[in-house]
mmCIF file of all heavy atoms in Angstrom:
data_model
loop_
_atom_site.group_PDB
_atom_site.id
_atom_site.type_symbol
_atom_site.label_atom_id
_atom_site.label_comp_id
_atom_site.label_asym_id
_atom_site.label_seq_id
_atom_site.Cartn_x
_atom_site.Cartn_y
_atom_site.Cartn_z
ATOM 1 N N SER A 201 101.783 79.615 99.606
ATOM 2 C CA SER A 201 100.810 79.998 98.578
ATOM 3 C C SER A 201 101.281 81.164 97.724
ATOM 4 O O SER A 201 100.612 81.519 96.742
ATOM 5 C CB SER A 201 99.476 80.375 99.237
ATOM 6 O OG SER A 201 98.919 79.288 99.930
ATOM 7 N N ARG A 202 102.401 81.772 98.082
ATOM 8 C CA ARG A 202 102.902 82.923 97.332
ATOM 9 C C ARG A 202 103.199 82.539 95.884
ATOM 10 O O ARG A 202 103.829 81.527 95.613
ATOM 11 C CB ARG A 202 104.169 83.460 98.000
ATOM 12 C CG ARG A 202 104.766 84.678 97.300
ATOM 13 C CD ARG A 202 105.903 85.275 98.128
ATOM 14 N NE ARG A 202 106.942 84.296 98.394
ATOM 15 C CZ ARG A 202 107.987 84.072 97.591
ATOM 16 N NH1 ARG A 202 108.092 84.741 96.458
ATOM 17 N NH2 ARG A 202 108.897 83.177 97.911
ATOM 18 N N PHE A 203 102.729 83.374 94.975
ATOM 19 C CA PHE A 203 103.013 83.227 93.549
ATOM 20 C C PHE A 203 104.100 84.251 93.241
ATOM 21 O O PHE A 203 103.843 85.453 93.224
ATOM 22 C CB PHE A 203 101.749 83.491 92.735
ATOM 23 C CG PHE A 203 101.827 83.057 91.298
ATOM 24 C CD1 PHE A 203 101.904 81.719 90.965
ATOM 25 C CD2 PHE A 203 101.817 83.998 90.276
ATOM 26 C CE1 PHE A 203 101.965 81.313 89.635
ATOM 27 C CE2 PHE A 203 101.871 83.616 88.947
ATOM 28 C CZ PHE A 203 101.953 82.256 88.627
ATOM 29 N N PRO A 204 105.341 83.824 93.021
ATOM 30 C CA PRO A 204 106.473 84.751 92.970
ATOM 31 C C PRO A 204 106.394 85.757 91.823
ATOM 32 O O PRO A 204 105.774 85.519 90.790
ATOM 33 C CB PRO A 204 107.686 83.816 92.793
ATOM 34 C CG PRO A 204 107.207 82.471 93.216
ATOM 35 C CD PRO A 204 105.749 82.428 92.863
ATOM 36 N N ALA A 205 107.069 86.865 92.032
ATOM 37 C CA ALA A 205 107.052 87.947 91.046
ATOM 38 C C ALA A 205 107.530 87.489 89.680
ATOM 39 O O ALA A 205 106.963 87.885 88.649
ATOM 40 C CB ALA A 205 107.913 89.111 91.547
ATOM 41 N N ASP A 206 108.558 86.669 89.628
ATOM 42 C CA ASP A 206 109.064 86.214 88.326
ATOM 43 C C ASP A 206 108.015 85.390 87.582
ATOM 44 O O ASP A 206 107.905 85.479 86.349
ATOM 45 C CB ASP A 206 110.344 85.391 88.520
ATOM 46 C CG ASP A 206 111.520 86.235 88.988
ATOM 47 O OD1 ASP A 206 111.422 87.478 88.917
ATOM 48 O OD2 ASP A 206 112.517 85.651 89.446
ATOM 49 N N ASP A 207 107.217 84.614 88.319
ATOM 50 C CA ASP A 207 106.148 83.842 87.688
ATOM 51 C C ASP A 207 105.019 84.757 87.208
ATOM 52 O O ASP A 207 104.382 84.484 86.179
ATOM 53 C CB ASP A 207 105.593 82.812 88.664
ATOM 54 C CG ASP A 207 106.594 81.697 88.971
ATOM 55 O OD1 ASP A 207 107.625 81.617 88.279
ATOM 56 O OD2 ASP A 207 106.342 80.917 89.904
ATOM 57 N N ILE A 208 104.779 85.829 87.947
ATOM 58 C CA ILE A 208 103.769 86.808 87.538
ATOM 59 C C ILE A 208 104.171 87.425 86.193
ATOM 60 O O ILE A 208 103.369 87.503 85.249
ATOM 61 C CB ILE A 208 103.602 87.903 88.612
ATOM 62 C CG1 ILE A 208 103.009 87.318 89.891
ATOM 63 C CG2 ILE A 208 102.739 89.050 88.086
ATOM 64 C CD1 ILE A 208 103.033 88.277 91.074
ATOM 65 N N VAL A 209 105.420 87.862 86.097
ATOM 66 C CA VAL A 209 105.900 88.477 84.857
ATOM 67 C C VAL A 209 105.815 87.479 83.701
ATOM 68 O O VAL A 209 105.391 87.830 82.580
ATOM 69 C CB VAL A 209 107.339 88.999 85.036
ATOM 70 C CG1 VAL A 209 107.891 89.504 83.705
ATOM 71 C CG2 VAL A 209 107.374 90.121 86.083
ATOM 72 N N ALA A 210 106.184 86.239 83.960
ATOM 73 C CA ALA A 210 106.113 85.223 82.913
ATOM 74 C C ALA A 210 104.684 85.016 82.432
ATOM 75 O O ALA A 210 104.431 84.833 81.238
ATOM 76 C CB ALA A 210 106.694 83.907 83.426
ATOM 77 N N ALA A 211 103.716 85.084 83.369
ATOM 78 C CA ALA A 211 102.316 84.839 83.017
ATOM 79 C C ALA A 211 101.769 85.911 82.089
ATOM 80 O O ALA A 211 101.089 85.604 81.100
ATOM 81 C CB ALA A 211 101.466 84.743 84.285
ATOM 82 N N PHE A 212 102.055 87.193 82.369
ATOM 83 C CA PHE A 212 101.492 88.208 81.458
ATOM 84 C C PHE A 212 102.372 88.417 80.234
ATOM 85 O O PHE A 212 101.908 88.918 79.207
ATOM 86 C CB PHE A 212 101.180 89.523 82.181
ATOM 87 C CG PHE A 212 102.329 90.296 82.762
ATOM 88 C CD1 PHE A 212 103.260 90.939 81.955
ATOM 89 C CD2 PHE A 212 102.461 90.429 84.138
ATOM 90 C CE1 PHE A 212 104.289 91.688 82.487
ATOM 91 C CE2 PHE A 212 103.494 91.163 84.693
ATOM 92 C CZ PHE A 212 104.415 91.795 83.864
#
Side-chain angles (χ1 to χ4, degrees):
S201 298
R202 181 172 57 89
F203 194 67
D206 291 346
D207 291 349
I208 293 170
V209 174
F212 64 70

